[in-house]
Amino acid sequence: KKGTASGRISSTTDPGQRHGRKSKSTSFTGSKASVATDIESQIIVAADVISGDAPDNQDALDLVKQAEANTGLTVLEPLGDCAYGDGGTRQTFADAGRTLIAKVPKDANRHGVFLKSAFNINLDRLQVRCPAGQTTVRYDVDDYGAKIFRFGSMCLGCLLRRMCTHSVKGRTIRVHPQENLLQIARAFQRSEAGRIHLRKRVVAEHSLARLATLAIDRARYLGLA
């Protein structure tokens, strides 16, 4: 098989290890450390080890609950980086009556066309308006519950078409199932208060850096436990 099979067992002596990535260019084999840090004291109040191929946001709510159990305190404001900023994780926290503060990942722009943020999405009226002023209410629902709004023939003859879509079927916009939560988060991170607040999560990076000086990336044990 070309490439690496998902979930591939990479070690006969430690079968819990998995291939993972820190970035597109940097890979590793092992596990991931997940920590929760108190902002004021910078004390690590919860820690977990997750599979090397697991997403960083796996069991994020459980980590918050562990922090509360360890400290006997209530976590008022869970704060994470953009790895925790997806709609699914936000919904998990919202369902638990908690507000997660995390940066929303940037829009993907692989074809040099207008980003999704250039479109006005009205969730109350279930309509999307494009940069040229055209509005569509036509949409399909995909297997994940997202609404795919289609402009179709509205794109024919549009002066902005080259900057908007290369598809002969016209532009489409995918509206996330948790789009309302993402819109609120985007508005917060664009505000001055939001930018200042989101910088506070750097203390978690400092905690991981201190753990690295203690050789956490070279654990002397086998297994996640």
Side-chain angles (χ1 to χ4, degrees):
K1 182 181 185 301
K2 186 177 181 180
T4 301
S6 177
R8 175 185 175 188
I9 297 175
S10 55
S11 171
T12 57
T13 55
D14 192 354
Q17 289 191 19
R18 292 292 184 273
H19 297 300
R21 286 197 167 274
K22 294 176 69 67
S23 65
K24 287 185 178 180
S25 60
T26 306
S27 60
F28 67 92
T29 299
S31 304
K32 289 182 179 180
S34 183
V35 301
T37 307
D38 175 61
I39 291 176
E40 293 183 2
S41 67
Q42 298 197 22
I43 293 174
I44 296 174
V45 292
D48 195 11
V49 180
I50 60 178
S51 177
D53 59 356
D56 290 353
N57 59 9
Q58 179 174 294
D59 300 330
L61 183 58
D62 290 341
L63 196 68
V64 172
K65 292 178 180 178
Q66 183 195 141
E68 292 181 329
N70 290 340
T71 62
L73 302 172
T74 300
V75 176
L76 297 177
E77 228 169 47
L79 178 65
D81 64 14
C82 65
Y84 299 85
D86 64 292
T89 303
R90 293 182 193 276
Q91 188 65 59
T92 297
F93 275 76
D95 291 344
R98 300 171 183 266
T99 299
L100 173 67
I101 298 177
K103 192 172 182 180
V104 181
K106 293 182 179 179
D107 289 340
N109 186 18
R110 299 184 180 90
H111 307 293
V113 297
F114 286 130
L115 297 177
K116 178 181 174 180
S117 56
F119 292 74
N120 181 274
I121 300 172
N122 190 317
L123 297 176
D124 294 327
R125 296 185 178 182
L126 287 179
Q127 63 184 33
V128 177
R129 187 174 73 248
C130 75
Q134 296 283 0
T135 299
T136 182
V137 294
R138 293 174 50 222
Y139 66 85
D140 302 312
V141 180
D142 67 13
D143 294 339
Y144 301 97
K147 295 179 176 66
I148 312 299
F149 283 82
R150 304 183 185 280
F151 285 88
S153 60
M154 295 180 187
C155 298
L156 295 174
C158 179
L159 298 177
L160 302 180
R161 179 163 184 162
R162 286 189 176 183
M163 295 181 287
C164 191
T165 182
H166 304 301
S167 172
V168 295
K169 296 181 180 180
R171 182 65 187 261
T172 60
I173 293 294
R174 185 177 189 272
V175 176
H176 200 279
Q178 289 84 36
E179 191 72 35
N180 61 324
L181 295 176
L182 296 173
Q183 285 187 358
I184 293 170
R186 287 192 188 97
F188 178 70
Q189 71 190 39
R190 284 195 297 265
S191 67
E192 181 62 25
R195 287 192 290 269
I196 293 173
H197 199 75
L198 285 166
R199 290 191 203 110
K200 296 178 181 179
R201 64 150 303 282
V202 74
V203 299
E205 297 293 345
H206 294 164
S207 295
L208 291 170
R210 286 194 290 272
L211 289 172
T213 65
L214 299 173
I216 192 175
D217 57 341
R218 292 291 182 272
R220 298 174 292 279
Y221 306 97
L222 298 180
L224 295 182

